[in-house]
Structure formats: C-alpha cells, structure tokens
C-alpha cells in the first residue's frame, strides 16, 4: 500500500486484479490475452474472434457483449494488463526488478499538484506524445482517470501532412512557430520550411501553420471536457485544470483551454527538484519526477520511516544520482 501522508495523493494508483482476469502465459513465458482461446473447440482453427464476428442484434446477450467490447470494456482492459506485464517482463530481463506499478497520470500529479488543489478539487491533464491522460481529484483523492488516444505527436503528423514536410521538420515547426489560436498570429508573419521533393526553401504564412494545428488542439480539449463530464466534475472544480506533459507547451494551448473549458488553467511543472538541472523542471518531466517521489515515499514507508523529512531528501538525491548514472 502507498503511504497515507498528510501531503500528496491518497490511494495507491494500482488496480487490484482478480485471479480470473490474469492473462495466461504461453510456453515461452510471453503473455497473451486470455480470451484468445476461451470457449473455443480445440479443433476450431478459426483466428481470434474480432469485432466483425458478431453484430448487434444477433443475440441479446451477445449484443451486450459486443457493445461492451466496442466501449473498450473487459477486452480492452485485458490488453492493457498484457501490455503492462510485458513491460515488467522486459525490466526483469534487463536484470532489474519492479517495486511498484503506478498509473502515469498519478505519478505526474505527485510532481505538480499542491495540497490545496487536491482538497479543493482539480483536474490534471498530462498532454503527452501519444496520449493525453486525465485525472480528476476531489477531497484529496482521485475520483476519475482516463487515457485519451490523442497527443502531441498527432499535432506533428498533421503539420507534416498539411505542409508536405518530414516529421522532423514538422516537429521543429510546431515547437518553434506553432500556435493553437490562428487569430493571434499576424497575417504578415512567415516561416521557412523544406517541403518533400522540393529543392528550394518554401515560405508559408505562420498563421497557416496555426490553422493546421488548431483543430487538433481543439479536439484534445473537447475530449478532455467530455471526460470531465463523464467524471461528473465538468462545471465545478475550484482548483481548476492543471496541464502538464510536453504537449501543453504548445503556444496558445492554455489560452484555448481557458476559453473552451471555462475554468482556471495553469501549467504544472515539477518544483523542488533537488540536485537536478533546470531542464528536468519542465512539464515534460512531470511523470519521471513524480515516479521518483513516489518511490521515495514507498521506500520510507516500507522502512517504517516518516515519509517526509531530511532523510527523504537524502534518499531522493541518491535515487536521482543512481538514475543519472544511466545517462
Ligand atoms: N514547446 C513545445 N511545443 C509543442 N509541443 C511540444 C513542445 N515541447 C514538447 N512538445 C511535445 O511534447 C511531446 C512529448 O511530451 P512528453 O514528454 O510529456 O510525452 P511522453 O511522456 O513521452 O508521451 P506519453 O505520455 O504519451 O507516453 C512531444 O510530442 C513534443 O512534440
Ligand atoms: Mg507522458
């Protein structure tokens, strides 16, 4: 169990799994979803059953099962469990052990949220590369989490397709000149870029770049709003929304969020990183720093020590040094 301290989050961030939900292993020890063979005649050589095998209306109970699958129900859950266990297996094969598993967004929360926000009620939105993770907190506890399948890489892809350029060039354009609100960019501002198949440098209006980016930023924010509604907290979160993750550094993103979500918005970055450079203080490092803090608290709890104090700082510094040795 995670230590129940006066500060930080409550709940251990892990999802207990009943024995019946454990994925099976094949002979090589690889993990595979349990339902791949479930209920199948041994002589049946059909491939794994996909969504196309059943249609709503075939049979009332089967239709319910299909709806659940389409909603990413039990099957989707098993796939995540399998993915996590494969990561654990990789860590073991690299000669290391896993002490604990923590939901990514809860680790980020550990790094960027303060006690006031947690008690008042706050949403943490971690805009990563491949996904946007959402967690809602009330009375110091997590009440809702979700992983949305869209993130900053999708913005880069849109730019690469829209401006016919490489992904590397698109990433550079997004980071240096991108903006989530086209109206904020003066019409006369231009950016230079190399288009695929063109020898000469091209010049395009920076506003055009923003027009490519804005719909994706809007899509991410719309999905966040929907998720907050699902969690029952879209209208009332006195602590507002804290954005973290590298994707929230897109210029104009927080302004767009403020006007669309109509809540106080701030960017959350890990503070008080002992012995670490300024680089690691940015929002993209929220999860990494949060995991270090989580691990520190866990060890102190396991050793029967008070979770926070001078000793915690020393252990924290040692852990950071140990991780730095890998780079
Ligand atoms: N200044 C910036 N403007 C726009 N996007 C940025 C900026 N800086 C970083 N990013 C984007 O942030 C993303 C990386 O963020 P982060 O490190 O939080 O992702 P991740 O944790 O690796 O991804 P995930 O959480 O999905 O596994 C990249 O796609 C990058 O393009
Ligand atoms: Mg991340």
């Amino acid at each position: 169990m995670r230590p129940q301290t006066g500060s930080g989050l409550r709940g251990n961030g892990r999802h207990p799994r009943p024995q019946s939900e454990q994925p099976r292993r094949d002979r090589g020890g690889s993990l595979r979803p349990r339902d791949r063979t479930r209920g199948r005649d041994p002589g049946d050589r059909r491939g794994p059953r996909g969504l196309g095998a059943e249609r709503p209306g075939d049979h009332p109970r089967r239709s319910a099962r299909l709806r659940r699958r389409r909603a990413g129900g039990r099957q989707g859950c098993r796939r995540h469990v399998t993915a996590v266990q494969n990561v654990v297996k990789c860590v073991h094969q690299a000669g290391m052990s896993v002490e604990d598993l923590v939901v990514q967004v809860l680790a980020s929360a550990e790094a960027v949220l303060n006690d006031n926000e947690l008690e008042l009620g706050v949403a943490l939105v971690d805009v990563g590369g491949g996904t946007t993770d959402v967690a809602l907190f009330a009375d110091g506890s997590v009440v809702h989490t979700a992983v949305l399948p869209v993130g900053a890489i999708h913005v880069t892809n849109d730019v690469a397709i829209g401006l016919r350029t490489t992904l590397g060039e698109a990433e550079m354009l997004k980071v240096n000149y991108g903006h989530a609100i086209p109206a904020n960019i003066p019409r006369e501002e231009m950016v230079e870029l190399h288009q695929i198949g063109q020898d000469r440098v091209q010049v395009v209006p920076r506003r055009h770049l923003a027009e490519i980016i804005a719909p994706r930023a809007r899509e991410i924010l719309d999905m966040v709003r929907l998720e907050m509604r699902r969690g029952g907290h879209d209208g009332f979160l006195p602590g507002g929304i804290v954005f973290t993750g590298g994707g929230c550094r897109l210029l104009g993103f927080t302004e767009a969020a403020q006007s669309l979500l109509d809540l106080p918005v701030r960017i959350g970055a890990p503070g008080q990183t002992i012995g670490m450079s300024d680089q690691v203080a940015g929002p993209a490092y929220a999860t990494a720093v949060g995991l270090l803090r989580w691990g520190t608290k866990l060890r102190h709890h396991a050793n029967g020590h008070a979770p926070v104090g001078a000793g915690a700082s020393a252990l924290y510094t040692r852990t950071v040094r140990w991780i730095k040795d890998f780079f």
Side-chain angles (χ1 to χ4, degrees):
M1 285 291 289
R2 200 176 161 279
Q4 301 282 309
T5 63
S7 70
L9 311 170
R10 287 201 284 269
N12 64 12
R14 286 170 288 174
H15 301 288
R17 208 175 333 122
Q19 191 65 28
S20 58
E21 295 287 310
Q22 302 266 353
R24 291 175 182 173
R25 289 164 194 278
D26 59 23
R27 277 200 201 128
S30 300
L31 296 157
R32 57 194 167 84
R34 194 178 173 81
D35 61 296
R36 215 189 265 180
T37 53
R38 192 181 56 180
R40 192 77 59 77
D41 181 328
D44 185 348
R45 291 181 181 274
R46 284 176 303 162
R49 278 187 297 177
L51 288 179
E54 286 176 83
R55 303 199 188 291
D58 279 0
H59 183 281
R61 233 181 316 162
R62 275 206 232 134
S63 293
R65 192 165 54 208
L66 180 57
R67 275 198 301 276
R68 201 168 53 223
R69 277 194 209 169
R70 283 191 176 153
R74 251 190 279 165
Q75 265 210 338
C77 197
R78 276 195 203 107
R79 263 182 225 124
H80 286 303
V81 169
T82 305
V84 168
Q85 291 192 318
N86 281 339
V87 171
V88 170
K89 199 175 149 203
C90 291
V91 173
H92 286 162
Q93 284 180 352
M96 291 182 271
S97 64
V98 175
E99 233 169 76
D100 199 6
L101 294 170
V102 185
V103 175
Q104 180 170 270
V105 72
L106 297 190
S108 302
E110 187 76 42
V112 304
L113 296 183
N114 61 47
D115 291 351
N116 260 343
E117 288 167 335
L118 288 168
E119 289 300 327
L120 283 172
V122 67
L124 180 71
V125 179
D126 182 338
V127 188
T131 61
T132 297
D133 303 346
V134 182
L136 305 183
F137 300 88
D139 299 325
S141 299
V142 60
V143 292
H144 184 74
T145 64
V147 178
L148 309 173
V150 63
I153 285 173
H154 298 87
V155 178
T156 305
N157 286 344
D158 293 345
V159 172
I161 293 166
L163 295 178
R164 277 175 305 204
T165 184
T166 61
L167 285 172
E169 182 98 0
E171 176 75 10
M172 183 281 291
L173 290 167
K174 176 187 80 171
V175 169
N176 294 312
Y177 308 107
H179 206 286
I181 307 174
N184 285 8
I185 307 294
R187 286 187 189 279
E188 61 279 8
E189 266 192 51
M190 297 287 164
V191 289
E192 292 185 345
L193 63 115
H194 296 91
Q195 285 187 325
I196 292 170
Q198 300 280 343
D199 293 334
R200 294 222 323 260
V201 171
Q202 307 292 310
V203 178
V204 297
R206 188 177 165 207
R207 190 183 265 226
H208 181 47
L209 172 65
E211 282 165 355
I212 293 171
I213 290 172
R216 187 66 80 171
R218 169 85 196 223
E219 182 192 26
I220 293 174
L221 292 170
D222 275 339
M223 289 171 85
V224 167
R225 185 169 54 175
L226 194 67
E227 214 44 63
M228 287 169 67
R229 197 169 297 159
R230 277 205 189 118
H233 285 269
D234 60 328
F236 188 68
L237 275 175
I241 306 180
V242 178
F243 283 96
T244 193
C248 78
R249 295 183 64 204
L250 174 71
L251 292 178
F253 187 78
T254 46
E255 284 164 76
Q258 188 127 34
S259 70
L260 188 76
L261 303 170
D262 202 20
L263 280 168
V265 164
R266 76 168 177 95
I267 288 191
Q272 298 174 333
T273 45
I274 302 155
M276 296 175 96
S277 68
D278 290 348
Q279 252 190 330
V280 192
Y285 294 92
T287 309
V289 173
L291 281 172
L292 287 172
R293 290 191 183 154
W294 195 288
T296 307
K297 285 185 176 180
L298 196 76
R299 283 197 180 186
H300 271 259
H301 185 68
N303 294 339
H305 295 160
V308 180
S313 303
L315 177 59
Y316 181 74
T317 311
R318 272 205 309 279
T319 315
V320 169
R321 205 174 297 136
W322 176 76
I323 286 177
K324 273 186 168 176
D325 286 344
F326 284 95
F327 299 99

